[in-house]
Amino acid sequence: MDEVFKALADPSRRALLDSLNARNGQTLRELCAGLDMARQSVSKHLAVLEEAGLVTTVRRGREKLHYLNAAPVHEIAHRWISRYDRARVEALADLKLALEDAPMDAPTFVYTTYIRTTPQKLWQALTEPAFTRRYWATEFTTDWAPGSPMTWDNHGVLISDPEQVVLEAEPYSRLSYTWHAITPELAKRFEWDDEMLDRLSGEPRSKVTFTIEESGQVVKLTVVHDGFEPGSMLAEMVSHGWPNVVASLKSLLETGEPLPDDL
């Protein structure tokens, strides 16, 4: 975590994070335009933030988009925040919340973490029910071939829909699928009222993509959840849900146990 605190100590790097917090998914040119810094300086600061894991990038054609990444601060909060008096870590908690709040004018969720495991084991953890039920309370019934349908068992609620399909499946490197339908049964399970059910079920179908990259002794996992409309309620929900799911996945692979449900 030394790299995280070092990265946050510089006011210019904090300004970059503030800019991304205001509008996520910016190119280098856009970041330079909004800050009184030379392009070379911005590039160097972004490199430090990427090295610390506070910023992650996603390619879109020839462009490289920069996103806030809550993983490092989220990990600090999960593993150590409970050991100290809450008043002493109020600033850290505030930062964690700020990094997890996805701006609704550009609702694309991007989250990167590093896990001490292998690409093969991570692929198993993303696809096999024996793993997914432990850290996510979710199971998938599918053959994981592109175009194949998927039936979700989401916290005990079975969800089948012809638009729930596998989009990409390259073992040990890339997995993508459409998100599940929002059903009355699911709303009852999570005690959503009729207004919330109508709003969520009326949103366009989103998708999630997992990219797995081997990086020395660890594996880099990037989760991108996109396809939302501006002001999406589901985008806001997943921006808070994914960090917990990924943190629990990381804990399961590294320690053999997922995170407690009450964290």
Side-chain angles (χ1 to χ4, degrees):
M1 291 295 107
D2 288 348
E3 295 86 354
V4 176
F5 293 111
K6 179 182 177 181
L8 292 173
D10 186 279
S12 295
R13 290 194 281 272
R14 293 199 299 271
L16 282 168
L17 294 177
D18 287 340
S19 179
L20 289 174
N21 192 47
R23 186 167 66 85
N24 225 351
Q26 296 187 58
T27 63
L28 176 60
R29 178 183 299 177
E30 290 170 326
L31 286 167
C32 291
L35 297 169
D36 187 20
M37 279 190 279
R39 183 184 181 93
Q40 185 176 11
S41 297
V42 174
S43 295
K44 288 181 178 179
H45 285 307
L46 285 172
V48 174
L49 291 168
E50 285 190 63
E51 184 68 23
L54 290 165
V55 168
T56 191
T57 59
V58 174
R59 286 283 181 182
R60 187 181 65 187
R62 295 183 178 181
E63 293 183 321
K64 184 165 74 168
L65 304 182
H66 298 80
Y67 291 87
L68 281 173
N69 181 42
V73 177
H74 195 271
E75 184 176 347
I76 292 172
H78 267 306
R79 296 193 177 189
W80 294 296
I81 200 169
S82 61
R83 300 184 186 181
Y84 303 98
D85 184 87
R86 183 168 297 274
R88 298 181 182 179
V89 292
E90 184 176 355
L92 179 61
D94 288 345
L95 176 61
K96 172 177 175 288
L97 291 174
L99 292 178
E100 289 177 0
D101 285 337
M104 289 300 103
D105 61 340
T108 295
F109 176 85
V110 181
Y111 194 91
T112 297
T113 192
Y114 293 84
I115 305 174
R116 291 190 299 275
T117 188
T118 65
Q120 292 78 9
K121 288 182 179 178
L122 180 51
W123 181 267
Q124 282 185 296
L126 292 173
T127 58
E128 295 184 7
F131 286 92
T132 58
R133 75 168 69 99
R134 294 192 63 193
Y135 67 86
W136 196 359
T138 297
E139 299 178 25
F140 306 104
T141 301
T142 182
D143 62 8
W144 295 113
S148 290
M150 299 177 67
T151 297
W152 289 54
D153 183 335
N154 188 336
H155 292 77
V157 178
L158 289 178
I159 309 171
S160 295
D161 187 282
E163 294 186 26
Q164 290 174 190
V165 296
V166 180
L167 299 174
E168 299 177 69
E170 301 175 17
Y172 321 133
S173 63
R174 188 172 175 88
L175 178 67
S176 181
Y177 49 81
T178 56
W179 201 241
H180 63 75
I182 305 297
T183 67
E185 294 79 12
L186 195 65
K188 182 178 180 181
R189 167 64 179 79
F190 291 107
E191 299 181 342
W192 299 336
D193 59 26
D194 290 342
E195 181 180 355
M196 188 172 180
L197 171 60
D198 290 343
R199 184 173 172 183
L200 288 171
S201 60
E203 293 191 11
R205 181 82 56 172
S206 62
K207 73 177 189 298
V208 62
T209 302
F210 304 89
T211 303
I212 302 169
E213 302 171 82
E214 200 161 11
S215 180
Q217 300 299 313
V218 297
V219 176
K220 178 183 177 182
L221 172 66
T222 300
V223 182
V224 178
H225 196 149
D226 58 6
F228 303 108
E229 61 185 4
S232 166
M233 177 180 286
L234 182 59
E236 184 176 0
M237 292 169 67
V238 301
S239 73
H240 290 86
W242 272 122
N244 292 319
V245 171
V246 175
S248 194
L249 163 63
K250 176 181 171 70
S251 177
L252 177 62
L253 287 173
E254 292 186 343
T255 72
E257 293 294 332
L259 293 176
D261 293 337
D262 58 350
L263 284 181

